[in-house]
Amino acid sequence: MFSMRRYTIYLALAACVLFTLNYFRTEIKVASTAIPRIGSIIPTSGPKDDGKSSVEVVVPNGPFRWKDVPTRYPVTSFAAIPTAPPQKLPKVQFDFPIEETQAAATRKVRQAAVRAVFDKCWNAYRKHAWMNDELGPLSGGQKNGFGGWGANLVDNLDNLWIMGFKDQFEDAVKVAMEIDLSTATVDTINVFETTIRHLGGFLACYDLSEDKRCLTKAVEFGEMLYKAFDTPNRMPITRWKPQLSMQAQQVADETVLVAEIGSLTMEFTRLSLLTGDPKYYDAVDRITKEFAKQQTKTKLKGMWPVVVDARKQDFTQDSLFTLGAMSDSLYEYFPKMHALLGGIDPIYERMYNLSMAGAASHNLFRPMTPKNDNILVAGKSRSHHIDDPPDLEPEGQHLVCFAGGMFALGGKLFSNPAHVFIGRQLTDGCIWAYRAMPLGIMPEVFTMLPCPKPDACDWDEKLWADAVDRIDPRHEQRLPQGFTSITDSRYILRPEAIESIFVLYRITGDRGLLDTAWEMFQSITNVTTTPLANAALTDVTWSREELNKGRGIQMDSMESFWMAETLKYFWLIFGEVDVLSLDEWVFNTEAHPLKRRLPAEQGKLIV
Ligand SMILES: *[C@@H]1O[C@H](CO)[C@@H](O)[C@H](O)[C@H]1NC(C)=O
Ligand SMILES: *[C@@H]1O[C@H](CO)[C@@H](O)[C@H](O)[C@H]1NC(C)=O
């Protein structure tokens, strides 16, 4: 999910300020580095650097289409789209019994409350930021950090459909057709973000509604994104400059975040399946094969480091390993690709097994908590040599809360009950972190004290206090017991905790999770609600008393994943269990549901 959001963790404040300026369309227009309409650029000459390609970039008359931009490094042989008959995979969802009337009534009241929040946010977006990437929930301003291609609009087409906002859906699809890919508000496009939000959004829109216009637009985005793969080794440029790509040859970068190159698979594969054009699948299959080839050659066997070299196709050098920020969806997509394709390519199961074995042994830890909860947190490890034991950094992140759902789904699909249990413990770790905080909202990044042994984990207040002293000798932080530091105290309306709670609910049928979800929804909306919509928070370590005294913690930011993911998962968990059943659908990392390939007897659709 979102490198943009992943990066925010690491962005220095100064960079943030610059970045914010870039967010506004108007700023871009007056800036001296403004990009003219991409389509209006007539490249002066063909490639110069190595003389291997003779392609001249000529922009034809008529409306600009990315499809018409010539390829400099054409693919000579495409991997075939995987169309073998899908297998019958193990059932993912719990066999839910008939629900009691009272329980159903409570659930529906809760779902209506979620829908009302969505409705309010959508109306505010429509009124104040229509067709812009994001709404500023305090100012009513607009932000355009994703190209100015209506990120929030495209991200919510599927929600409008499933939540039954039919008129708004019609209206939104109509204007979405006007999104113009010959112009952009930023000069560098994040290929990953555009793939998961826009391409994923239009694909889900098509899979749900079968409205052909959504597929047409998905193809248009696909054609543009495919140009980022036009490099000598066909590895994509993950931070891609569309305008530059038409003027000069491009090569893949030497420093690439592993999530950004490794999680384009679901969207590109679905696009090939729906269009019959193999080029998209071929583009990502090359990357998957490279990852597979190098999986046991890294410094932590089974996993890949956060940073890889796409130019040399060397994915083994770096020493930081995590399921968290900047790596996350690489791993998340293995079981999901298996589900999407109907289990016909064993490569994803192998990659899942090996990487999760590495993560389970070296990344996960049981933290010490006052009540000795049997929970897990996914941390980070540094490893300098494949034969040395990695060093664990006991950090937790909100973002890595998706891992509970990943382990649980993988555990189901690959008949590995131990992984379903790990998924539950990881999810419980996130629930713990929500409940431990004064506002009932988990912070962005924190550290905890790992238990000496997973099964010897009695709370030791002195041990904890000593650890806090080491990190924060002057006790400047407000730390609930159990946390040893809170290194990023924001809450930016993230979805990952409710995402895993939703997946665990559908898998285990544990109704207690519905109450947990409701508690979380109330905590979040209680503090994030603004007159217009919902706002990210600067610091969730303050108490309600402080807030009541007038301390302001809201920021003028509402990332498009708030509505697209957070509210979607809240709405789904309180809905009927056969709506977007995990046995028929698989969610991309932006919560866009894509149809799984199913054997004929199991479902109507084989694509
Ligand atoms: C993956 O792990 C599961 C559960 O341990 C096992 O049954 C399966 O055979 C493994 N698959 C592969 C391809 O290694
Ligand atoms: C937030 O919670 C407090 C205390 O429970 C309650 O009084 C208040 O009305 C809530 N505010 C919102 C906006 O939900």
Side-chain angles (χ1 to χ4, degrees), residues 346-354 414-417 419:
I347 198 169
Y348 302 103
E349 179 171 352
R350 275 202 303 272
M351 291 170 92
Y352 172 85
N353 277 8
L354 266 175
F414 305 127
S415 307
N416 188 344
H419 278 197

Side-chain angles (χ1 to χ4, degrees), residues 396-399 401 430 432-434 436-438 440-447 480 483 485-492 494 539-541:
Q397 304 170 346
H398 192 296
L399 184 147
C401 284
C430 297
W432 178 88
Y434 267 77
M437 298 299 295
I441 304 175
M442 179 180 187
E444 186 73 354
V445 189
F446 53 87
T447 57
F483 293 102
S485 69
I486 294 179
T487 38
D488 185 342
S489 59
R490 294 173 305 153
Y491 170 66
I492 60 167
R494 283 189 177 285
D539 189 346
V540 295
T541 66

Side-chain angles (χ1 to χ4, degrees), residues 522 525-527 529 544:
Q522 288 177 297
T525 49
N526 190 291
V527 195
T529 301
R544 193 169 300 283

Side-chain angles (χ1 to χ4, degrees), residues 531-606:
L532 289 175
N534 292 80
L537 306 173
T538 51
D539 189 346
V540 295
T541 66
W542 291 108
S543 64
R544 193 169 300 283
E545 289 66 50
E546 278 292 327
L547 266 44
N548 290 345
K549 277 190 243 154
R551 181 174 295 281
I553 58 169
Q554 293 184 335
M555 291 187 268
D556 191 27
S557 165
M558 183 175 85
E559 297 246 18
S560 77
F561 52 70
W562 161 248
M563 296 177 69
E565 298 193 66
T566 314
L567 290 181
K568 180 183 281 124
Y569 287 124
F570 273 121
W571 184 83
L572 281 173
I573 197 172
F574 298 127
E576 310 297 327
V577 293
D578 56 358
V579 172
L580 298 184
S581 162
L582 298 180
D583 288 305
E584 290 164 23
W585 296 84
V586 59
F587 292 84
N588 89 337
T589 194
E590 186 76 3
H592 294 308
L594 303 177
K595 270 181 183 167
R596 291 175 50 175
R597 296 181 73 237
L598 300 173
E601 81 271 16
Q602 206 179 319
K604 306 114 264 177
L605 26 109
I606 310 179

Side-chain angles (χ1 to χ4, degrees), residues 152-172:
N152 196 59
L153 180 92
V154 182
D155 243 354
N156 282 294
L157 296 173
D158 54 9
N159 271 335
L160 293 171
W161 181 266
I162 60 172
M163 294 186 193
F165 292 104
K166 291 290 180 296
D167 293 348
Q168 289 90 328
F169 175 80
E170 255 316 307
D171 185 33

